[in-house]
Amino acid sequence: MRADLLTDAVDGLDEALAAVDGFDDALVDGLLRPQPRQAAGLTGLADALAASPLAARVAEAAEKTAAGVAGEDHFTALAGARTALLGSVHDALSARVAEVVGRPVAPEREAVPGGGGDDALGVNLLGAARGWLCDLARVGWRGMDHETVAGAAPVVSAMLSDPALRRLATLLDGFAAELAASCPGATLERVPVRRWADLWTRGMLLTLPGAARLTPVTEVSGRLLPLGVDVQEHATAVQAQVHAVFEPADGTASRLVRASVSAPKPDTVVGAGLWQVLRPRMSLLGALGEGRAMELDAMPVTAEGDLLWDDARARAGESADAFVTARVALPAASGCVTAPLDRHPARIAVPVLLEGYGVQEDEDGLAFLVAGERLAVDADRVPAAGPLTPEAVAGSAACLGLLRWDAGEFRLQPLAVERTVRKKPVAVHAGAWAGGTADKAGARAEKAATDAVTVLRERAGKLLRK
Amino acid sequence: MVPPARARKLAKVPFVELADGRLQGVVSSGSDIGRVYVSSVEAGTYAFSCSTNNNRPCGGARGTFCNHIRALIGEAVLQYGAGRVARYLKAEVAEGGEPDAQAITSVMTAALPSPGDRSAAAQVFSRFLRHLSYLELEPVTAPLPEMHWFPTTRAVA
């Protein structure tokens, strides 16, 4: 790993982000009656796209928006422009990551237009979602109140029941809850400007029919060697994403893949409850907890390297130590490509193995010193229902993690660590409890989560009785 | 980022939320295992309401907050943090005062709120069912890339 490249400047990065920031700042006070400063931000975004195929549409959208007469199409064009700019940032950072890890680059997989996928799907709901997002853009983060935010609820409720609309529904549900928690915007101390603009932009694009359609899917057979699990959650949704090395049975080159499982959940289901919600749908979580490989038979996979998990196409394999996989199989595995619309720096999550680093703990948090370079460690980005603690990370000798980019720098999200206990390496995995656990604290967390769901259902029954 | 709810025992107050301009929720009866109360406090006016699942008014909620409403405030503070509850209810604790359930309750009772409209109960109940319906939705294995914006954290409200 060439850690020295992690802190080297990336050409054009600051300029691209400045153009993004100009637009993001304009959203703070809303686009109903833009002030000159906001108009400048909009023009800056358009100027940054001047040499792209989007130039004319974005310039028109910026002009209309600056004049306070923007329609939904104009907002959509601006969202597209912002996505394109951050897509270029993603590409530059991904190229840097590829140099840092020095693994084979992802081969171009044939870009056959995605078949299936009904563009007419939920078209009214998508329109309603877009309407809500446009209302938000007009009032701005400073102008939003509970009433503005509540407009999302009926749209989200209607969308959630359709698994095909889950992506947008889950995004809007989490976004709206976060906005509601920050209302009224007028008295907000600090606005998460780029974050909310990111979420708004993602939402806008996903309301376009076909935007959430999966890239072409093929079927693969072979051995899956899990590296670790990344857990993401907001109040009413959870996703676990297992990163793994896939070795095709036909002997072709191995590649990195992900297997995801997600579900909506009540906000009181937390901790071990997250595993309980997801476990029944993906046997891989059990294999991960036990440290096993899995044998896949005709498992669907997208061009991006996302397995569309089906328990019927997987069976438990022999035991497989994630650190052995990381040392032996990971260096030869090619990376993933990202679908054009999904390119964004927040999406970068590249498995890496670090060894022989120093540990630094100060007011800036935990960091590893890798070949003299400081690499910040997000030790909190680890599921609470698991044995991997920030202390274990700080005391580690080897760390398997995801290389990410956030707040202007590369950072490491630990997936597992090895500590040396009595001269022997002992591994601690973030996902150790994914399939259940015999650990005392873990079992207690499991019981608390089961009790919570039981109480919810039982009390609801009492209300229904009448 | 909003930190996830703190894990709390749900037996006493299975459901609490800040929505529809109210702090509202479902509170189990302390004496009768088969009974639940639907309780709410309106933001700003602190108009309160508490009735059973059979739509009978709670005996304790005539002149001021009953114990169910007090329990509701306590669990809301556990789940969302005192600052957010106080802000939502517009029950800001006086300068220098540490907001906690006790302080928030005192601010509201000191304003001598009156009993509110009991029609809220039906809405609260339907919100509770909506909340529960999240348990019935099928997990999916198609990736949700947007969840990358919502990393898990060890923080709690």
Side-chain angles (χ1 to χ4, degrees):
Chain A
M1 177 158 147
R2 297 230 9 227
D4 55 310
L5 295 173
L6 287 174
T7 44
D8 271 9
V10 173
D11 281 346
L13 182 80
D14 292 345
E15 291 84 346
L17 291 178
V20 168
D21 288 343
F23 173 74
D24 296 357
D25 287 338
L27 280 182
V28 174
D29 292 317
L31 299 172
L32 196 59
R33 275 178 287 276
Q35 302 299 306
R37 195 181 46 80
Q38 291 170 287
L42 295 165
T43 313
L45 179 68
D47 289 349
L49 273 288
S52 84
L54 290 174
R57 289 195 63 176
V58 177
E60 188 204 337
E63 193 189 316
K64 297 277 189 205
T65 307
V69 292
E72 290 191 356
D73 287 349
H74 299 121
F75 286 149
T76 304
L78 293 174
R82 189 181 182 280
T83 302
L85 261 181
L86 284 165
S88 73
V89 172
H90 166 275
D91 292 357
L93 293 170
S94 294
R96 176 59 56 86
V97 170
E99 283 179 78
V100 168
V101 299
R103 292 198 293 259
V105 289
E108 282 287 325
R109 295 178 207 280
E110 14 177 342
V112 194
D118 185 359
D119 280 358
L121 187 77
V123 83
N124 292 335
L125 283 174
L126 294 178
R130 189 159 54 244
W132 178 70
L133 288 163
C134 290
D135 287 346
L136 268 185
R138 290 193 180 95
V139 298
W141 312 131
R142 285 285 173 212
M144 67 167 182
D145 56 18
H146 283 290
E147 208 176 320
T148 328
V149 175
V155 188
V156 169
S157 288
M159 277 187 178
L160 274 173
S161 54
D162 183 348
L165 296 171
R166 199 55 76 70
R167 212 175 135 180
L168 180 58
T170 306
L171 167 66
L172 295 184
D173 209 9
F175 186 25
E178 190 166 317
L179 294 176
S182 310
C183 273
T187 58
L188 207 53
E189 268 173 41
R190 208 179 54 83
V191 177
V193 178
R194 187 177 295 165
R195 174 180 171 79
W196 284 356
D198 273 350
L199 297 176
W200 180 84
T201 307
R202 294 303 316 155
M204 281 298 284
L205 285 193
L206 288 179
T207 66
L208 300 178
R213 193 198 284 156
L214 291 167
T215 53
V217 173
T218 50
E219 290 181 351
V220 290
S221 301
R223 187 163 70 143
L224 188 71
L225 300 162
L227 291 165
V229 64
D230 173 26
V231 175
Q232 303 140 8
E233 62 169 321
H234 64 56
T236 51
V238 57
Q239 171 166 265
Q241 216 160 41
V242 176
H243 290 257
V245 173
F246 174 68
E247 298 179 333
D250 61 12
T252 52
S254 61
R255 63 190 279 202
L256 279 167
V257 293
R258 292 174 295 248
S260 310
V261 58
S262 63
K265 66 172 188 75
D267 58 3
T268 39
V269 169
V270 291
L274 305 181
W275 298 129
Q276 290 177 2
V277 167
L278 301 176
R279 218 175 265 156
R281 184 65 182 81
M282 190 160 84
S283 55
L284 179 58
L285 291 178
L288 181 86
E290 290 171 23
R292 284 185 182 286
M294 290 201 89
E295 299 294 334
L296 308 187
D297 181 20
M299 185 70 78
V301 63
T302 69
E304 290 195 87
D306 284 301
L307 300 172
L308 304 179
W309 194 265
D310 175 359
D311 273 348
R313 296 166 193 247
R315 58 188 170 78
E318 61 215 59
S319 78
D321 180 333
F323 278 92
V324 173
T325 300
R327 289 186 180 110
V328 178
L330 180 59
S334 64
C336 303
V337 291
T338 305
L341 281 185
D342 291 342
R343 295 173 312 139
H344 187 288
R347 277 293 303 280
I348 297 173
V350 178
V352 290
L353 174 69
L354 294 178
E355 293 179 278
Y357 45 79
V359 175
Q360 195 176 51
E361 274 186 285
D362 53 29
E363 64 272 19
D364 295 331
L366 182 65
F368 290 163
L369 289 172
V370 190
E373 301 292 335
R374 184 181 190 278
L375 178 61
V377 178
D378 282 324
D380 284 342
R381 204 168 175 157
V382 164
L388 184 58
T389 58
E391 294 72 32
V393 175
S396 65
C399 181
L400 179 52
L402 295 174
L403 195 56
R404 290 187 173 273
W405 191 85
D406 189 20
E409 62 174 3
F410 284 104
R411 307 175 70 86
L412 184 75
Q413 170 187 349
L415 296 176
V417 299
E418 267 183 356
R419 339 179 44 173
T420 309
V421 180
R422 292 194 198 93
K423 294 186 182 164
K424 286 205 174 126
V426 175
V428 187
H429 297 270
W433 298 355
T437 178
D439 180 283
K440 220 173 173 183
R444 221 173 18 239
E446 290 277 341
K447 185 174 179 300
T450 316
D451 289 352
V453 171
T454 310
V455 166
L456 280 180
R457 290 187 198 277
E458 189 267 342
R459 290 285 103 177
K462 291 282 186 287
L463 273 171
L464 279 171
R465 201 188 50 184
K466 289 251 163 166
Chain B
M1 294 274 309
V2 181
R6 192 184 296 268
R8 59 178 188 90
K9 288 209 163 47
L10 301 182
K12 209 158 95 185
V13 181
F15 175 59
V16 56
E17 67 167 2
L18 301 167
D20 304 333
R22 292 184 291 262
L23 163 64
Q24 54 193 23
V26 173
V27 184
S28 304
S29 161
S31 53
D32 180 351
I33 185 104
R35 191 183 299 159
V36 287
Y37 289 85
V38 173
S39 315
S40 66
V41 181
E42 197 175 88
T45 66
Y46 316 141
F48 58 91
S49 153
C50 186
S51 53
T52 69
N53 39 340
N54 295 323
N55 211 19
R56 287 195 194 169
C58 165
R62 295 221 169 96
T64 182
F65 291 179
C66 58
N67 286 335
H68 306 116
I69 291 175
R70 289 170 193 271
L72 185 72
I73 298 167
E75 295 295 303
V77 165
L78 269 186
Q79 180 155 331
Y80 296 110
R84 187 168 158 197
V85 174
R87 196 151 37 95
Y88 192 89
L89 288 171
K90 302 192 177 78
E92 303 287 357
V93 174
E95 198 83 13
E98 212 29 51
D100 60 14
Q102 180 77 51
I104 294 169
T105 309
S106 303
V107 168
M108 293 196 289
T109 49
L112 303 175
S114 37
D117 182 3
R118 266 200 294 131
S119 64
Q123 282 177 51
V124 177
F125 180 40
S126 83
R127 295 275 308 180
F128 182 35
L129 289 185
R130 175 181 188 268
H131 179 78
L132 273 176
S133 71
Y134 276 65
L135 279 174
E136 313 304 329
L137 295 165
E138 284 296 304
V140 298
T141 57
L144 305 180
E146 286 68 33
M147 287 302 286
H148 281 269
W149 272 273
F150 301 96
T152 193
T153 62
R154 300 178 81 84
V156 285

